């Protein structure tokens, strides 16, 4: 189970402020569970872990097995909430060099439609020339430009490679139940399709087929992912105390810090394969809270890498940052630093220690230095990174994000600002009606 430690943030705030906000959050918790707060028509994610049907899991598992049996590569086409959750889980659980690790992943998961890089997509087609592959095209609206372009290109490639009449069984569409261009194409062309429920927004959709299908195809256990989320759901629903409910603790602390001028939250990890988990988290909080000229700016850093680039700023720059560290207790490997007779690099003082032990000391030392430098620190600990703990973390952050949005006084489930740039781009591209 995850654990939250706020002892290194408490010195930066007053206990009076904390108690006041805790009282408020109790009300938001009630509102959330009752489904009577802002944006309540988008609460499909709230009870999702306990409601996912056995039939859906079986269907996803069977489709995944079928894809695994014939595809070397699985292309996941999607952007934002239709992409980040799957990638966060897959990268967190994968071998760090999976592309070069024969037999490790079958199929390899590649991503498309998450950018407009021409070289990126041209390189992808070059790879697809060489391997057998299947595709998932994921878009709730079914009209998002980036995945639509990528799908058009990949579909043409599939047709050229396998023949127009042989591609329907290589495409799975994950989209709205009724509307959007993708839904119409899926119906017309006879693609297999999964539904993204109406009442679940993109950034809350990782535990729907949007995340579950790619994760299952990558070979990971979606039942464990869901059961982790379900455990967290039960815990966060039943614990009504703001001093023990971890989502209430996190919400209270980050909002008091925000009220005290800490307007940037840095989600910190100490392992490279959590990089995309932070990307998912940034979308979740950024799109949920950043509105009405308010909101904590969600940022992230991967330590110790970024200590050698951002470290100076974090230590001594503008004091508007707080850190939330995603701390992992146990490491799966046991790679020790070897003894060297000559000790030319002076490292013998740590010979025999594992890299994880050194990494833990780096985490402890960095926290001490940053707290001393005026950066409050919240630590969220998981025993290890696996499907179960990732499920717990996903649900923990989703629930906290909803509570935080209510605390800030915004609707955490809409994203009116995302449309602004799209309108400008469409107008520049000459799209009808813009
Ligand atoms: O959270 C959101 O609503 C957005 O980030 C969307 O997920 C993203 O724009 C992709 O949208 P769609 O799934 O409609 O293609």
């Amino acid at each position: 189970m995850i654990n939250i430690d706020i002892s290194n943030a408490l010195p930066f705030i007053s206990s009076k402020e904390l108690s006041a906000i805790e009282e408020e959050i109790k009300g938001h918790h009630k509102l959330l569970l009752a489904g009577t707060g802002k944006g309540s028509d988008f609460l499909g994610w709230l009870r999702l872990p306990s409601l996912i049907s056995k039939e859906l899991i079986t269907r996803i598992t069977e489709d995944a097995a079928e894809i695994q049996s014939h595809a070397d590569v699985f292309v996941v086409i999607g952007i934002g909430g239709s992409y980040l959750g799957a990638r966060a889980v897959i990268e967190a659980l994968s071998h760090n060099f999976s592309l070069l690790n024969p037999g490790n992943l079958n199929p390899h998961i590649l991503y498309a439609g998450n950018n407009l890089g021409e070289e990126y997509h041209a390189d992808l087609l070059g790879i697809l020339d060489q391997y057998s592959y299947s595709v998932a095209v994921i878009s709730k609206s079914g009209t998002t430009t980036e995945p639509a372009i990528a799908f058009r290109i990949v579909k043409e490639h599939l047709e050229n490679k396998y023949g127009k009449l042989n591609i329907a069984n290589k495409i799975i569409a994950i989209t709205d139940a009724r509307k959007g261009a993708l839904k119409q194409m899926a119906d017309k062309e006879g693609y297999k399709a999964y539904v993204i429920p109406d009442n679940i927004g993109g950034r809350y959709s990782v535990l729907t087929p949007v995340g579950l299908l790619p994760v299952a195809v990558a070979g990971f256990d979606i039942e464990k992912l869901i059961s982790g989320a379900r455990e967290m759901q039960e815990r966060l629903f039943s614990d009504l105390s703001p001093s023990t409910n971890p989502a209430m603790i996190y919400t209270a602390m980050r909002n008091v810090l925000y009220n005290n001028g800490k307007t940037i939250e840095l989600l910190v990890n100490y392992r490279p394969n959590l990089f995309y988990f932070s990307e998912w988290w940034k979308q979740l909080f950024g799109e949920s809270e950043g509105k009405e000229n308010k909101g904590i700016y969600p940022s992230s850093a991967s330590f110790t890498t970024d200590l050698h680039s951002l470290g100076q700023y974090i230590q001594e720059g503008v004091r508007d940052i707080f850190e939330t560290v995603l701390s992992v207790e146990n490491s799966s490997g046991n790679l020790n630093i070897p003894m060297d007779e000559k000790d030319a690099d002076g490292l013998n003082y740590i010979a025999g220690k594992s890299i994880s032990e050194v990494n833990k000391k780096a985490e402890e030392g960095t926290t001490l230095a940053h707290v001393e430098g005026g950066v409050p620190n919240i630590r969220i600990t998981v025993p290890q990174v696996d499907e179960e703990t990732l499920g717990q973390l996903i649900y923990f952050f989703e629930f906290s994000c909803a509570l935080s949005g209510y605390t800030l006084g915004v609707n955490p489930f809409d994203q009116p600002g995302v449309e602004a740039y799209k309108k400008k781009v469409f107008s520049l591209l000459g799209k009808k009606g813009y």
Side-chain angles (χ1 to χ4, degrees):
M1 255 302 167
I2 75 166
N3 189 33
I4 181 161
D5 175 7
I6 54 167
S7 58
N8 281 316
L10 283 171
F12 294 88
I13 61 159
S14 81
S15 55
K16 219 168 141 195
E17 278 175 299
L18 188 61
S19 326
I21 217 158
E22 281 176 351
E23 271 315 300
E24 209 188 295
I25 287 168
K26 278 205 263 182
H28 299 320
H29 185 273
K30 226 178 186 172
L31 206 66
L32 185 62
L33 295 202
T36 48
K38 283 186 185 169
S40 55
D41 42 346
F42 276 94
L43 286 181
W45 59 274
L46 188 63
R47 292 179 173 81
L48 184 63
S50 56
L51 293 178
I52 295 174
S53 70
K54 273 247 169 305
E55 293 73 41
L56 181 62
I57 295 173
T58 306
R59 198 184 147 207
I60 291 176
T61 311
E62 285 173 4
D63 280 342
E66 206 265 316
I67 292 162
Q68 286 165 344
S69 72
H70 67 74
D72 294 327
V73 167
F74 186 57
V75 185
V76 176
I77 298 178
I79 196 166
S82 291
Y83 147 74
L84 285 165
R87 190 161 195 177
V89 174
I90 292 169
E91 304 253 335
L93 296 172
S94 294
H95 189 286
N96 282 284
F97 305 98
S98 56
L99 285 177
L100 293 175
N101 190 31
N104 182 62
L105 263 191
N106 199 9
H108 289 298
I109 311 296
L110 300 181
Y111 301 90
N114 57 333
N115 66 73
L116 284 172
E118 183 165 336
E119 293 75 10
Y120 182 96
H121 289 93
D123 288 353
L124 175 70
L125 295 184
I127 291 297
L128 298 181
D129 283 341
Q130 303 166 52
Y131 294 93
S132 63
Y133 69 98
S134 280
V135 178
V137 51
I138 309 175
S139 175
K140 177 152 193 210
S141 63
T143 56
T144 307
T145 309
E146 295 91 332
I149 291 174
F151 184 53
R152 186 181 275 216
I153 290 169
V154 171
K155 189 168 151 272
E156 186 190 58
H157 187 274
L158 272 172
E159 287 171 353
N160 293 339
K161 185 167 172 139
Y162 296 104
K164 265 192 179 176
L165 298 176
N166 304 318
I167 64 164
N169 66 349
K170 300 200 179 300
I171 297 170
I172 297 186
I174 306 179
T175 189
D176 189 85
R178 285 169 293 277
K179 52 183 193 304
L182 183 56
K183 168 67 184 154
Q184 283 163 22
M185 279 168 85
D187 286 349
K188 190 160 164 256
E189 308 287 340
Y191 306 150
K192 271 189 189 166
Y194 285 91
V195 168
I196 310 175
D198 279 347
N199 59 357
I200 301 182
R203 59 191 177 275
Y204 288 85
S205 70
V206 50
L207 298 174
T208 73
V210 169
L212 296 179
L213 180 76
V215 169
V217 174
F220 301 112
D221 189 334
I222 56 170
E223 287 195 71
K224 284 196 181 143
L225 189 74
I226 295 162
S227 88
R230 193 164 46 237
E231 279 168 42
M232 187 53 71
Q233 179 194 325
E234 282 159 13
R235 181 172 171 192
L236 300 183
F237 271 41
S238 61
D239 186 348
L240 303 180
S241 163
S243 53
T244 52
N245 180 314
M248 290 204 223
I249 296 173
Y250 178 50
T251 303
M253 184 49 78
R254 64 195 295 282
N255 280 283
V256 176
L257 290 168
Y258 174 67
N259 294 340
N260 282 277
K262 303 294 183 190
T263 56
I264 298 171
E265 178 173 10
L266 206 56
L267 188 74
V268 168
N269 68 69
Y270 281 82
R271 354 176 125 198
N273 52 8
L274 288 175
F275 176 86
Y276 275 97
F277 192 86
S278 298
E279 296 303 301
W280 169 80
W281 173 90
K282 284 195 280 197
Q283 187 206 358
L284 179 66
F285 279 87
E287 275 189 2
S288 299
E289 294 190 311
K291 46 196 74 154
E292 299 173 30
N293 300 323
K294 297 192 275 194
I296 297 170
Y297 181 76
S299 182
S300 65
S302 294
F303 290 168
T304 61
T305 310
D306 293 334
L307 289 172
H308 299 260
S309 54
L310 296 173
Q312 171 61 37
Y313 190 99
I314 298 167
Q315 192 68 45
E316 294 181 352
V318 182
R319 301 296 70 194
D320 53 2
I321 302 171
F322 67 97
E323 285 180 341
T324 297
V325 176
L326 209 48
S327 181
V328 184
E329 264 165 21
N330 306 314
S331 173
S332 51
N334 197 6
L335 185 59
N336 290 346
I337 296 159
M339 178 63 85
D340 184 299
E341 240 176 55
K342 291 192 184 124
D343 196 25
D345 51 16
L347 278 184
N348 274 355
Y349 78 104
I350 47 172
K353 287 191 191 299
S354 70
I355 296 193
S356 296
E357 282 174 271
V358 178
N359 202 17
K360 267 282 156 242
K361 291 295 166 208
E363 183 181 328
E364 280 170 43
T366 304
T367 302
L368 287 173
H370 288 181
V371 171
E372 253 174 53
V375 179
N377 184 287
I378 299 171
R379 194 176 65 202
I380 295 167
T381 309
V382 287
Q384 67 279 324
V385 175
D386 57 21
E387 287 92 335
E388 192 109 7
T389 54
L390 284 169
Q392 292 170 7
L393 282 172
I394 285 167
Y395 192 83
F396 165 78
F397 280 122
E398 287 179 347
F399 196 94
S400 304
C401 185
L403 280 185
S404 262
Y406 285 165
T407 308
L408 197 65
V410 299
N411 176 354
F413 308 114
D414 66 359
Q415 55 285 327
V418 178
E419 293 310 307
Y421 96 90
K422 291 185 188 170
K423 286 183 187 147
K424 297 279 185 216
V425 176
F426 287 151
S427 143
L428 290 172
L429 288 172
K431 187 173 179 174
K432 245 191 185 164
Y434 287 86

